[in-house]
Amino acid sequence: MKEQYELRLYIAGKTQKSVTALNNLKKYCEEHLQDQYVIEVIDLLVNPQLAEGDQIFAVPTLVKKVPEPVRKIIGDLSNEEKVLVGLNIRPKQAQ
């Protein structure tokens, strides 16, 4: 069975950057991790105390919880190559 990716996206409200980050993340996951991922979106305007657990200092920040190692990517996730490398995902055509 393939590994399940647990991803957590920290945002602060529905800003353009936050919306872009979530849309980019969903697109990459659909392309490269079909049915192997869970995305949890945490709005720090609603739950600011949750930033401490993953040591979030900027938003949007993507945290890959599982599989280990834990990785963080800050920004709107528009650089697909950087995001895939950060999440340790090989592009489909390369497999």
Side-chain angles (χ1 to χ4, degrees):
M1 188 175 134
K2 293 205 172 226
E3 272 183 305
Q4 186 78 12
Y5 280 74
E6 288 182 24
L7 307 171
R8 209 176 262 175
L9 182 64
Y10 288 89
I11 59 170
K14 298 277 184 245
T15 63
Q16 186 58 50
K17 219 172 179 180
S18 297
V19 170
T20 301
L22 182 57
N23 289 339
N24 286 334
L25 179 59
K26 284 180 177 174
K27 187 178 91 174
Y28 305 150
C29 286
E30 276 306 306
E31 284 177 22
H32 304 285
L33 295 175
Q34 280 181 318
D35 303 324
Q36 293 174 239
Y37 68 94
V38 177
I39 299 172
E40 180 182 6
V41 178
I42 297 175
D43 188 337
L44 296 178
L45 295 182
V46 178
N47 295 305
Q49 73 280 8
L50 296 177
E52 204 174 304
D54 279 322
Q55 299 176 329
I56 303 303
F57 301 109
V59 287
T61 296
L62 174 63
V63 178
K64 178 186 75 148
K65 304 292 280 180
V66 176
E68 291 191 327
V70 171
R71 288 273 180 79
K72 292 181 192 169
I73 303 169
I74 297 170
D76 67 6
L77 311 178
S78 57
N79 183 334
E80 182 173 3
E81 188 179 339
K82 182 179 167 190
V83 173
L84 295 180
V85 169
L87 295 177
N88 199 21
I89 297 169
R90 285 184 200 85
K92 282 262 188 262
Q93 65 272 19
Q95 289 182 345

